[in-house]
Amino acid sequence: MTEQPMEDHVLVEVTVPAPADAVWAALRDPQKIKHWFGWETDGLKDEIDFIFVTHAAADEATRTVTFVGVNDRYEVEARGEASVVRVVRSAPAGSWSDVFDGMIEGWISFTWQLAFAFARHDLEPRRTIFFSGAPRADRLGRSLLGLDAAPAPGEPWSGPLGPDAASGQVWFVARHQLGVSVDAWGDGLLVVVDEPATEKKPNGFTMLTLTTYDLSEAARADLQARWQAWWDERFETQAPGC
């Protein structure tokens, strides 16, 4: 059987305002990875160990991390005092599809979270709140949050945001997701991922990751309570997982 030739596809590429050695360390040290990857769950440590330690191979010379069992890799490229970080997927020629892919969307979210953690917080510890589920009506998360008319990346925004009024900056826009900074969350980040409707998910599916910095326990608890009430009115909640 003739093997199909493979093609590389860049899933996400971001510029990080930090030296390549610092960014590389953030891809290799589990204590640093938890400051940008995924969201808080009881199993986050095990998830990080599985993906980045026991099922990863690192090439220090090229600053490339490949993952066992998938054809995806992280690349870190020095650009002066900054770095370019990309996730690349190698796939058979002609097999590429525009169908929603949860793993791809995860790489996009997490890589933009990595860039934000460096750009705004020098990879300081964060706290997160996560929601996932299907909308009760056929309006996806971006619409329900009031972010349909969000401006271009880099532009400021302000207005209703879920249960709150908020302001910040548009961090990134992708086909199925959006990230905006939120001033009131200690210059935090909201990432919204919307899966389009399918036969199995007639109203689609939404995931929200709220990243906060330097909030008191009382302020964080109040934030979670407000957003939980807002979410429960509009979505069928599913148990979080990373």
Side-chain angles (χ1 to χ4, degrees), residues 40 128-134 136 144-145 161-164 185 190 206 208-210 219-240:
E40 288 179 59
T128 63
I129 300 169
F130 179 78
F131 300 99
S132 67
R136 297 182 188 276
L144 289 166
L145 285 161
L161 185 70
D164 300 328
W185 301 351
L190 171 68
T206 290
L208 305 182
T209 306
L210 289 64
R220 184 178 179 278
D222 182 59
L223 177 68
Q224 179 150 10
R226 290 198 314 276
W227 278 75
Q228 187 72 62
W230 177 88
W231 176 271
D232 289 343
E233 289 182 3
R234 295 162 178 82
F235 294 87
E236 301 285 350
T237 298
Q238 291 195 4

Side-chain angles (χ1 to χ4, degrees), residues 15 23 51 55 66 70 78 80 86 113 144 172 187 206 228 237:
T15 298
V23 177
I51 295 172
H55 289 74
T66 56
V70 296
R86 64 180 68 90
Q113 288 175 186
L144 289 166
F172 76 94
D187 189 20
T206 290
Q228 187 72 62
T237 298

Side-chain angles (χ1 to χ4, degrees), residues 43-240:
L44 180 60
K45 180 184 182 300
D46 291 341
E47 183 98 10
I48 289 171
D49 287 344
F50 182 88
I51 295 172
F52 289 93
V53 180
T54 62
H55 289 74
D59 186 327
E60 298 276 350
T62 62
R63 296 194 185 96
T64 301
V65 181
T66 56
F67 301 100
V68 176
V70 296
N71 292 322
D72 299 343
R73 65 183 184 271
Y74 259 117
E75 299 177 349
V76 179
E77 177 186 337
R79 293 277 180 90
E81 291 301 308
S83 307
V84 171
V85 181
R86 64 180 68 90
V87 180
V88 180
R89 172 167 292 181
S90 183
S95 68
W96 198 249
S97 169
D98 287 333
V99 174
F100 183 95
D101 183 313
M103 182 176 289
I104 292 176
E105 298 305 318
W107 288 133
I108 293 170
S109 296
F110 304 151
T111 305
W112 279 108
Q113 288 175 186
L114 169 67
F116 187 85
F118 270 108
R120 300 295 187 90
H121 296 280
D122 197 26
L123 210 66
E124 295 173 354
R126 60 175 185 161
R127 297 296 308 276
T128 63
I129 300 169
F130 179 78
F131 300 99
S132 67
R136 297 182 188 276
D138 75 351
R139 289 179 66 201
L140 286 168
R142 189 181 304 193
S143 175
L144 289 166
L145 285 161
L147 292 171
D148 275 342
E155 294 295 320
W157 70 275
S158 62
L161 185 70
D164 300 328
S167 62
Q169 184 183 49
V170 179
W171 185 241
F172 76 94
V173 178
R175 183 179 182 189
H176 296 294
Q177 54 181 293
L178 170 77
V180 295
S181 69
V182 182
D183 296 337
W185 301 351
D187 189 20
L189 181 69
L190 171 68
V191 174
V192 185
V193 181
D194 283 330
E195 181 178 351
T198 62
E199 184 176 346
K200 290 185 177 180
K201 299 176 182 178
N203 288 338
F205 194 86
T206 290
M207 295 185 291
L208 305 182
T209 306
L210 289 64
T211 297
T212 71
Y213 292 89
D214 300 323
L215 294 188
S216 68
E217 286 301 313
R220 184 178 179 278
D222 182 59
L223 177 68
Q224 179 150 10
R226 290 198 314 276
W227 278 75
Q228 187 72 62
W230 177 88
W231 176 271
D232 289 343
E233 289 182 3
R234 295 162 178 82
F235 294 87
E236 301 285 350
T237 298
Q238 291 195 4

